[in-house]
Amino acid sequence: MMKTAILIDGGFFVRRYQAIKARVAPDEEVTAETLARDISASAFRWIRRANPHGYRQRELYRIFFYDCAPERYNAGPHPITGEIVRVEDTIDFAFREALHEQLRRQRKVALRLGELHVKNGDWTLSREAVRRLRAGATLDDLEPSSIFYKVKQAGVDMRIGLDIASISQQGQVDQIILVAGDSDFVPAAKMARRNGIDFILDPMWNPIRPELNEHIDGICSVMPNPHGEAGRRRG
């Protein structure tokens, strides 16, 4: 039985998942529990979409989910309201913590955690806020939610690359499906392909740089296309 490993860049996946759901199913609440269940349930859809003519001969090796562990930190006063903001009070913090706990309970899911550099974070304007400022708005016109405390991840890309290399060299699978954006996974993908791995990318309907096409064996996305186009795969 041929085996497929599914590797998911958690930060990218959660953002795209929530954005797509908000567009195609705006009345559907996305909870940590439903998201974790959907990740496990999507394994078959990934395998079937990437192998339309041979999915019955394939077995899931494991789903690897890469993210950063939430960290409690006092971010200081909000630039607009002046209120003290604690990172652990944000919705995203609580959601991520609950999601990681749910993923630990899922069969065939391995949680790989990097670190958040919260102390090196900084207050950042949202894209909508930047657009409004360029259109002539002032800082006084912005809502508090227009400015958020942005932290940096550490170790996620490295862990993804190391696992791709390890899985490829040990011959544990013959196919890898990577769910990620336009990140620097090319060196790992090239190593995997040199070891005979069928390397598929799911960018979740995000555009990718044209030059990346030469370093992968196919593209497939299993979530509904927010633009209404049919699914696609390049073999």
Side-chain angles (χ1 to χ4, degrees), residues 18-65:
Q18 292 174 330
I20 291 173
K21 283 290 187 180
R23 183 157 185 170
V24 303
D27 297 328
E28 184 177 330
E29 182 183 6
V30 177
T31 66
E33 185 176 2
T34 58
L35 179 52
R37 285 204 308 263
D38 204 11
I39 289 172
S40 292
S42 294
F44 179 73
R45 296 200 295 270
W46 269 307
I47 292 175
R48 182 172 58 182
R49 183 64 61 85
N51 306 274
H53 305 297
Y55 65 90
R56 297 183 187 277
Q57 287 73 48
R58 291 214 152 264
E59 176 183 341
L60 173 65
Y61 172 69
R62 191 163 289 123
I63 299 173
F64 297 88
F65 191 90

Side-chain angles (χ1 to χ4, degrees), residues 33-112:
E33 185 176 2
T34 58
L35 179 52
R37 285 204 308 263
D38 204 11
I39 289 172
S40 292
S42 294
F44 179 73
R45 296 200 295 270
W46 269 307
I47 292 175
R48 182 172 58 182
R49 183 64 61 85
N51 306 274
H53 305 297
Y55 65 90
R56 297 183 187 277
Q57 287 73 48
R58 291 214 152 264
E59 176 183 341
L60 173 65
Y61 172 69
R62 191 163 289 123
I63 299 173
F64 297 88
F65 191 90
Y66 303 85
D67 205 2
C68 286
E71 184 176 340
R72 288 171 170 78
Y73 181 69
N74 187 337
H78 191 281
I80 293 180
T81 66
E83 296 180 359
I84 299 300
V85 175
R86 297 185 304 171
V87 176
E88 63 265 31
D89 290 337
T90 65
I91 295 176
D92 185 69
F93 180 96
F95 181 87
R96 276 310 220 285
E97 198 168 46
L99 176 60
H100 295 168
E101 181 58 32
Q102 290 294 329
L103 287 172
R104 291 186 179 97
R105 301 176 183 178
Q106 300 295 316
R107 186 173 181 274
K108 290 271 188 176
V109 175
L111 184 61
R112 297 277 200 267

Side-chain angles (χ1 to χ4, degrees), residues 94-219:
F95 181 87
R96 276 310 220 285
E97 198 168 46
L99 176 60
H100 295 168
E101 181 58 32
Q102 290 294 329
L103 287 172
R104 291 186 179 97
R105 301 176 183 178
Q106 300 295 316
R107 186 173 181 274
K108 290 271 188 176
V109 175
L111 184 61
R112 297 277 200 267
L113 294 179
E115 298 176 350
L116 284 177
H117 286 175
V118 293
K119 295 180 181 179
N120 295 327
D122 204 352
W123 294 100
T124 303
L125 289 169
S126 67
R127 290 184 179 179
E128 176 62 17
V130 172
R131 185 193 67 78
R132 290 177 59 189
L133 289 173
R134 287 175 175 170
T138 67
L139 289 176
D140 292 335
D141 298 322
L142 299 181
E143 297 81 12
S145 59
S146 299
I147 301 179
F148 60 96
Y149 191 75
K150 184 177 182 179
V151 297
K152 296 181 179 180
Q153 292 187 344
V156 170
D157 290 346
M158 178 188 70
R159 283 172 171 79
I160 293 175
L162 288 175
D163 278 347
I164 290 175
S166 175
I167 292 171
S168 303
Q169 292 181 333
Q170 294 178 18
Q172 297 167 318
V173 305
D174 64 346
Q175 183 179 68
I176 290 176
I177 299 175
L178 175 65
V179 185
D182 201 358
S183 58
D184 189 16
F185 60 83
V186 170
K190 291 171 67 174
M191 173 180 289
R193 296 179 76 204
R194 283 197 297 268
N195 282 279
I197 301 295
D198 184 35
F199 197 94
I200 309 297
L201 176 68
D202 180 357
M204 300 183 74
W205 302 110
N206 251 10
I208 65 171
R209 289 180 285 123
E211 58 267 26
L212 292 182
N213 283 302
E214 65 177 296
H215 301 298
I216 58 179
D217 295 302
I219 297 175

